[in-house]
Amino acid sequence: MKKDIILSGVGGQGILSIATVIGKAALKKGLYMKQAEVHGMSQRGGDVQSNLRISDKPIASDLIATGKCDLIISLEPMESLRYLPYLNKEGWLVTNSTPFINIDNYPSEEDLKKELDKVPHKVVINVDDIAKEAGSARVANIVLLGATIPFLGIDYETMRQSVREIFERKGEAIVEMNLKALAAGKEIADKHLQ
Amino acid sequence: MSKKLLLGDEAIAQAALDAGLSGVYAYPGTPSTEITEYIQGAPITAEKNIHSRWCTNEKTAMEAALGMSFVGKRALVCMKHVGMNVAADCFVNSAMTGANGGIIVVAADDPSMHSSQNEQDSRFYGDFAMIPFFEPSNQQEAYDMVYQGFEFSEKIGEPILLRIVTRLAHSRSGVEGKAQKPQNEISFSKDPRQFVLLPAIARQHNRELIAKENEFLKASEESPFNKYIDGPNKKMGIIACGIGFNYLMESYPEGCEYPVLKIGQYPLPKKQLAKLVEECESILVIEDGQPFVEKQLKGYLALGITVKGRLDGTLPRDGELNPDSVARAVGRENKQEFPASPIVEVRPPALCQGCGHRDMYTVLTETLKAEYPLHKVFSDIGCYTLGAGAPFYAINSCVDMGASITMPKGAADGGFFPAVAVIGDSTFTHSGMTGLLDCVNSNANVTIIISDNETTAMTGGQDSAGTGKIEAICAGIGVDKAHIRVVVPLKKNYEEMAQILREEIEYKGVSVIIPRRDCIQTLARKKKQQAKS
């Protein structure tokens, strides 16, 4: 088992919280893991990414090679496209559809759609809307994470346990809301696959 | 012991704590900051009274660590690569004094300049100071090198250098810890003049240091961090330093066909190098940063063995290594399946919405453009460096910590007006205070804006050494109190801010304007913590 995952978004959107949940689940499964993050100047309002590698064998590089990525998880549509050269032929792209516009030359909605349409294996969802339905806009990341479950190589129950453990200290209500968000995301991906 | 998921930085911190650390000394700097933060947050730090407060700059950090070593205890010094330039005076001389208690200096290099102004390779500093240095390939090695490093430092009686790069510092992986060691008791060198570098004594120490070279070489040849891995294809031998080894192995999951010498400890192990050169037709050097090993092997005239690497274009001359550049160098290029999307635009970092620096820059640029079109603004290292970009395009320089004070002084000395400085509070206390004294002593016609957000913001909101003391420092240095002006950078104060700016630019001497408002990120974190407790 090997999954090379690129997480992307804009500084402040919270891609690392997604990485934390997957990482915890991977450790539960006794898998090897490496996760390269971006800190410092490159964070503030700029593009951010994290390379997350999970495998049942020891992992050499902290970075994922071109054409070898199995899954792009992005909280922002243009940012999801930034890492296309890394995606492998059978790889999946799971992205939020809501743009984060903080530059003047942000591409048009039409161009974004056209480019995303070129990707054969993808799930594009408005995680913010679904998060609000689940109880709070703050669980948007977990909705997106839910939508990646069919592609992660880690079972749903382990992911649920990981979410539970990470949010446990914030109380049962928060745990339930996040589990609901995870389920909502998963449901969309499952529907998409049918 | 069970494995912990740790950043490279955190692995270093945990190892130092496990190895009986008595103090960490550091100034925040990406990608080294998390080492000290981890130690500050560890329960053992408070329990065992381990020193972990931030230092004013890297030089004071290095010197305090040497003081701790002087009394026989173990000290860790952490900085980003350019911090080595600041600490260099003490660092290089600490090799001349030698260590009593173990000292490990961590230099976190930033090839590709993710968050830095150059790509300098700290291995040159290790070589320059003539001490052993280490370069881990992964988080576990970083842990092991530090855990064993203090003992090694004490055994050879010298500080050692640990050189890491961003990708190791900021990558997480499973790390297995070792047993907790106690801290050293206070003890002193047998030689009462060990730390007295008078020329006569220094000459003797220099000869002693040179005499240790063989010992350092032997340690390196016997080190578990230097490994010769044989391969059947002798057309090429590969020297893979630090994380370069990982990228090589990524291209050869089944094992490399060429003999590989994995390097983690310097000086370079001569025995293994000689074997590689003897057995192989050519040598490829894979090293992150500058071509340190490659240059030594190749020699300036390149008359000897065939050495490939960054200098001949086998690998890119600049930027960090990655699995793709290394794969290409060994002829196993990775295939791209999807083309880069043409609609993806650059998304540069920017000052946060609501940041006080924004208000400062708004008033500064509007006033200067309208009233002083010939102005130049000298700036510095920090969040406010982002004033270089949209929408402000406000600054004309950003060079090194503190240069925003001394560069306008030089410009004013040359007859230029108006010379304006923009520096942050933490950078000011790091390296701006001495420059301010120069300004005062020659009554330079400069206007210095110390944009005070009461934190070291860029690196994540660490304590700033001058908080609550900036006016007193400026007055103490000799700036006329009438020309130390404090304002609150908010929209409602724009007129007042512009008026003060005008008055101080017109004043023919040193003036300091202090726009002061909490960093919104640090403030939010503080409030969150208060709500928790």
Side-chain angles (χ1 to χ4, degrees), chain B residues 445-458:
Chain B
N445 189 14
V446 292
T447 306
I448 294 162
I449 297 171
I450 303 175
S451 199
D452 184 3
N453 54 12
E454 307 196 300
T455 190
T456 313
M458 181 59 93

PDB file of all heavy atoms in Angstrom, chain B residues 445-458:
ATOM      1  N   ASN B 445      20.825  62.613   9.241  1.00  0.00           N
ATOM      2  CA  ASN B 445      19.484  63.108   8.933  1.00  0.00           C
ATOM      3  C   ASN B 445      18.625  61.949   8.408  1.00  0.00           C
ATOM      4  O   ASN B 445      18.454  61.775   7.214  1.00  0.00           O
ATOM      5  CB  ASN B 445      19.576  64.233   7.900  1.00  0.00           C
ATOM      6  CG  ASN B 445      18.229  64.913   7.712  1.00  0.00           C
ATOM      7  OD1 ASN B 445      17.309  64.729   8.508  1.00  0.00           O
ATOM      8  ND2 ASN B 445      18.114  65.697   6.653  1.00  0.00           N
ATOM      9  N   VAL B 446      18.125  61.152   9.357  1.00  0.00           N
ATOM     10  CA  VAL B 446      17.326  59.979   8.985  1.00  0.00           C
ATOM     11  C   VAL B 446      16.025  59.947   9.772  1.00  0.00           C
ATOM     12  O   VAL B 446      15.952  60.439  10.899  1.00  0.00           O
ATOM     13  CB  VAL B 446      18.095  58.657   9.245  1.00  0.00           C
ATOM     14  CG1 VAL B 446      19.272  58.511   8.294  1.00  0.00           C
ATOM     15  CG2 VAL B 446      18.579  58.567  10.688  1.00  0.00           C
ATOM     16  N   THR B 447      14.997  59.367   9.156  1.00  0.00           N
ATOM     17  CA  THR B 447      13.719  59.168   9.831  1.00  0.00           C
ATOM     18  C   THR B 447      13.495  57.669   9.937  1.00  0.00           C
ATOM     19  O   THR B 447      13.394  56.978   8.919  1.00  0.00           O
ATOM     20  CB  THR B 447      12.575  59.822   9.034  1.00  0.00           C
ATOM     21  OG1 THR B 447      12.929  61.194   8.820  1.00  0.00           O
ATOM     22  CG2 THR B 447      11.255  59.716   9.770  1.00  0.00           C
ATOM     23  N   ILE B 448      13.467  57.183  11.175  1.00  0.00           N
ATOM     24  CA  ILE B 448      13.405  55.735  11.394  1.00  0.00           C
ATOM     25  C   ILE B 448      12.032  55.353  11.931  1.00  0.00           C
ATOM     26  O   ILE B 448      11.600  55.842  12.981  1.00  0.00           O
ATOM     27  CB  ILE B 448      14.509  55.302  12.377  1.00  0.00           C
ATOM     28  CG1 ILE B 448      15.887  55.541  11.732  1.00  0.00           C
ATOM     29  CG2 ILE B 448      14.351  53.833  12.769  1.00  0.00           C
ATOM     30  CD1 ILE B 448      17.022  55.573  12.717  1.00  0.00           C
ATOM     31  N   ILE B 449      11.350  54.505  11.185  1.00  0.00           N
ATOM     32  CA  ILE B 449      10.044  54.021  11.636  1.00  0.00           C
ATOM     33  C   ILE B 449      10.238  52.626  12.228  1.00  0.00           C
ATOM     34  O   ILE B 449      10.660  51.707  11.527  1.00  0.00           O
ATOM     35  CB  ILE B 449       9.047  53.974  10.464  1.00  0.00           C
ATOM     36  CG1 ILE B 449       8.828  55.401   9.930  1.00  0.00           C
ATOM     37  CG2 ILE B 449       7.726  53.334  10.894  1.00  0.00           C
ATOM     38  CD1 ILE B 449       8.040  55.456   8.637  1.00  0.00           C
ATOM     39  N   ILE B 450       9.987  52.507  13.525  1.00  0.00           N
ATOM     40  CA  ILE B 450      10.034  51.179  14.153  1.00  0.00           C
ATOM     41  C   ILE B 450       8.591  50.708  14.265  1.00  0.00           C
ATOM     42  O   ILE B 450       7.850  51.121  15.156  1.00  0.00           O
ATOM     43  CB  ILE B 450      10.724  51.216  15.537  1.00  0.00           C
ATOM     44  CG1 ILE B 450      12.142  51.795  15.404  1.00  0.00           C
ATOM     45  CG2 ILE B 450      10.773  49.808  16.144  1.00  0.00           C
ATOM     46  CD1 ILE B 450      12.872  51.983  16.735  1.00  0.00           C
ATOM     47  N   SER B 451       8.168  49.888  13.314  1.00  0.00           N
ATOM     48  CA  SER B 451       6.778  49.446  13.251  1.00  0.00           C
ATOM     49  C   SER B 451       6.608  48.322  14.270  1.00  0.00           C
ATOM     50  O   SER B 451       6.989  47.181  14.032  1.00  0.00           O
ATOM     51  CB  SER B 451       6.452  48.986  11.825  1.00  0.00           C
ATOM     52  OG  SER B 451       5.061  48.972  11.632  1.00  0.00           O
ATOM     53  N   ASP B 452       6.045  48.687  15.423  1.00  0.00           N
ATOM     54  CA  ASP B 452       6.085  47.827  16.609  1.00  0.00           C
ATOM     55  C   ASP B 452       4.785  47.043  16.774  1.00  0.00           C
ATOM     56  O   ASP B 452       3.753  47.607  17.118  1.00  0.00           O
ATOM     57  CB  ASP B 452       6.336  48.732  17.837  1.00  0.00           C
ATOM     58  CG  ASP B 452       6.495  47.941  19.126  1.00  0.00           C
ATOM     59  OD1 ASP B 452       6.470  46.692  19.075  1.00  0.00           O
ATOM     60  OD2 ASP B 452       6.643  48.577  20.190  1.00  0.00           O
ATOM     61  N   ASN B 453       4.839  45.723  16.516  1.00  0.00           N
ATOM     62  CA  ASN B 453       3.660  44.891  16.767  1.00  0.00           C
ATOM     63  C   ASN B 453       3.861  44.006  17.993  1.00  0.00           C
ATOM     64  O   ASN B 453       3.135  43.041  18.215  1.00  0.00           O
ATOM     65  CB  ASN B 453       3.278  44.064  15.529  1.00  0.00           C
ATOM     66  CG  ASN B 453       4.435  43.238  15.013  1.00  0.00           C
ATOM     67  OD1 ASN B 453       5.452  43.098  15.686  1.00  0.00           O
ATOM     68  ND2 ASN B 453       4.286  42.679  13.828  1.00  0.00           N
ATOM     69  N   GLU B 454       4.898  44.332  18.763  1.00  0.00           N
ATOM     70  CA  GLU B 454       5.156  43.699  20.061  1.00  0.00           C
ATOM     71  C   GLU B 454       5.292  42.188  19.988  1.00  0.00           C
ATOM     72  O   GLU B 454       4.926  41.458  20.899  1.00  0.00           O
ATOM     73  CB  GLU B 454       4.070  44.111  21.067  1.00  0.00           C
ATOM     74  CG  GLU B 454       3.921  45.623  21.146  1.00  0.00           C
ATOM     75  CD  GLU B 454       3.171  46.089  22.371  1.00  0.00           C
ATOM     76  OE1 GLU B 454       2.014  45.691  22.513  1.00  0.00           O
ATOM     77  OE2 GLU B 454       3.753  46.852  23.168  1.00  0.00           O
ATOM     78  N   THR B 455       5.874  41.724  18.872  1.00  0.00           N
ATOM     79  CA  THR B 455       6.075  40.285  18.723  1.00  0.00           C
ATOM     80  C   THR B 455       7.073  40.041  17.591  1.00  0.00           C
ATOM     81  O   THR B 455       7.400  40.966  16.856  1.00  0.00           O
ATOM     82  CB  THR B 455       4.732  39.578  18.396  1.00  0.00           C
ATOM     83  OG1 THR B 455       4.899  38.165  18.481  1.00  0.00           O
ATOM     84  CG2 THR B 455       4.249  39.908  16.995  1.00  0.00           C
ATOM     85  N   THR B 456       7.552  38.807  17.486  1.00  0.00           N
ATOM     86  CA  THR B 456       8.335  38.415  16.319  1.00  0.00           C
ATOM     87  C   THR B 456       7.352  37.699  15.407  1.00  0.00           C
ATOM     88  O   THR B 456       7.115  36.504  15.541  1.00  0.00           O
ATOM     89  CB  THR B 456       9.507  37.490  16.726  1.00  0.00           C
ATOM     90  OG1 THR B 456      10.161  38.071  17.853  1.00  0.00           O
ATOM     91  CG2 THR B 456      10.501  37.320  15.600  1.00  0.00           C
ATOM     92  N   ALA B 457       6.728  38.463  14.515  1.00  0.00           N
ATOM     93  CA  ALA B 457       5.508  37.993  13.851  1.00  0.00           C
ATOM     94  C   ALA B 457       5.768  36.973  12.745  1.00  0.00           C
ATOM     95  O   ALA B 457       5.087  35.950  12.667  1.00  0.00           O
ATOM     96  CB  ALA B 457       4.740  39.182  13.294  1.00  0.00           C
ATOM     97  N   MET B 458       6.725  37.245  11.897  1.00  0.00           N
ATOM     98  CA  MET B 458       6.907  36.429  10.701  1.00  0.00           C
ATOM     99  C   MET B 458       7.135  34.958  11.019  1.00  0.00           C
ATOM    100  O   MET B 458       6.720  34.072  10.292  1.00  0.00           O
ATOM    101  CB  MET B 458       8.075  36.995   9.868  1.00  0.00           C
ATOM    102  CG  MET B 458       8.351  36.257   8.585  1.00  0.00           C
ATOM    103  SD  MET B 458       6.935  36.222   7.475  1.00  0.00           S
ATOM    104  CE  MET B 458       7.256  37.654   6.475  1.00  0.00           C
TER     105      MET B 458
END
